Amino acid sequence: MRAEETMSALEVRETHPAEPDPALQPEIPAPILDVQRLSLWYGDSQALHDISLQVGEKRITAFIGPSGCGKSTLLRCFNRMNDLVEGVTLEGDILFEGAPIYGDARGLDKQALRKRIGMVFQKSNPFPKSIYENVAYGCRIHGVKSRRALDEVVERSLRDAALWDEVRDRLSESALGLSGGQQQRLCIARALAIEPEVILLDEPCSALDPVATAKIEELMLELRKTYTLVIVTHNMQQASRVSDYTAFLYLGRLIEYGPTEKLFIRPLKKQTEDYITGRFG
């Protein structure tokens, strides 16, 4: 009798699978990245727990949550930057335009992946070189030698980063002489120079003043016309201003994910509401 009851319960579970959580299943048009049940450990410490989400092409997706919740760890998974950290192990996969980033023998070459998925870090990190050489660096690494071609790339990238008019007469000067906001836009120009499809931004405005922050936010909205952007931010007002979709993470778990306006105005989870209203975090 128990065996029959057990089998009956199993059949019910298989016939009526659990409904997907609407707080985690927004409809994403034209996803370019597809995170599939991703878990990650730093040694014995688990940093990400079974995360699944999709990132829309030519959209801005923001990751929010308190410090240590896994936002930057998840961001670095998209271009395998976590591979540089000793003791990291990972389960699950991420598909980039349908190809596995981590998976089987068809997994993407890291160098090729990082050319297609660029990254801008929290602290601007211009090289101790001229403004020109900072932007041209990636192209030189990938074999571009023609001065004319490099000139075109440098101008295009600086224009796309809204920096050309400020530095066009200073290209031979050290990049370290730029202001903090200009240095961050230079780093964005450096990422754009190799023509990526996706740009990852890890708290790009955290060290900037409000004026420089406004310029970076305006730039992100302009870049969205051409690129897919994924941004980590502690600034919820920034997420609400610039992003199309927002994911709220807590203790390495995806709590809620959806269109930004809906998540901020009508969150489906109380935990999300408590965070965005400042009750915790």
Side-chain angles (χ1 to χ4, degrees), residues 52-231:
S52 295
L53 61 82
Q54 294 179 326
V55 173
E57 186 175 13
K58 294 182 181 178
R59 299 288 191 276
I60 300 177
T61 300
F63 295 162
I64 64 171
S67 296
C69 71
K71 304 185 298 297
S72 293
T73 294
L74 177 58
L75 189 77
R76 291 194 299 265
C77 287
F78 290 129
N79 66 349
R80 299 193 61 161
M81 290 295 291
N82 288 315
D83 290 15
L84 303 175
V85 180
E86 187 176 354
V88 166
T89 55
L90 179 144
E91 291 181 358
D93 209 339
I94 301 174
L95 303 184
F96 176 37
E97 295 186 331
I101 289 177
Y102 290 94
D104 56 25
R106 296 177 292 112
L108 297 173
D109 173 77
K110 293 179 190 178
Q111 185 174 349
L113 176 67
R114 290 170 188 157
K115 184 178 186 297
R116 298 175 66 191
I117 302 180
M119 189 160 192
V120 177
F121 295 93
Q122 177 177 1
K123 183 178 179 181
S124 57
N125 58 341
F127 302 140
K129 299 175 179 286
S130 70
I131 294 169
Y132 183 99
E133 288 300 330
N134 264 268
V135 181
Y137 181 82
C139 295
R140 291 191 189 278
I141 291 295
H142 288 92
V144 179
K145 297 180 181 179
S146 165
R147 179 71 185 199
R148 181 177 178 180
L150 289 172
D151 287 349
E152 291 175 354
V153 167
V154 169
E155 180 174 348
R156 171 182 55 78
S157 302
L158 289 171
R159 285 189 183 278
D160 287 349
L163 191 57
W164 174 252
D165 290 340
E166 298 173 39
V167 302
R168 60 189 303 173
D169 298 322
R170 305 167 54 191
L171 296 179
S172 62
E173 296 180 14
S174 172
L176 301 179
L178 297 174
S179 70
Q182 288 175 325
Q183 288 187 10
Q184 193 64 298
R185 280 183 283 151
L186 178 66
C187 293
I188 293 173
R190 192 171 65 197
L192 295 177
I194 57 174
E195 299 183 325
E197 296 163 62
V198 179
I199 304 172
L200 311 175
L201 301 110
D202 192 356
E203 298 190 56
C205 302
S206 64
L208 303 181
D209 61 51
V211 173
T213 295
K215 288 185 177 181
I216 296 291
E217 290 181 1
E218 183 179 348
L219 173 59
M220 286 191 283
L221 292 171
E222 186 65 25
L223 292 175
R224 177 181 58 181
K225 298 174 183 178
T226 308
Y227 305 94
T228 299
L229 282 75
V230 186
I231 176 174

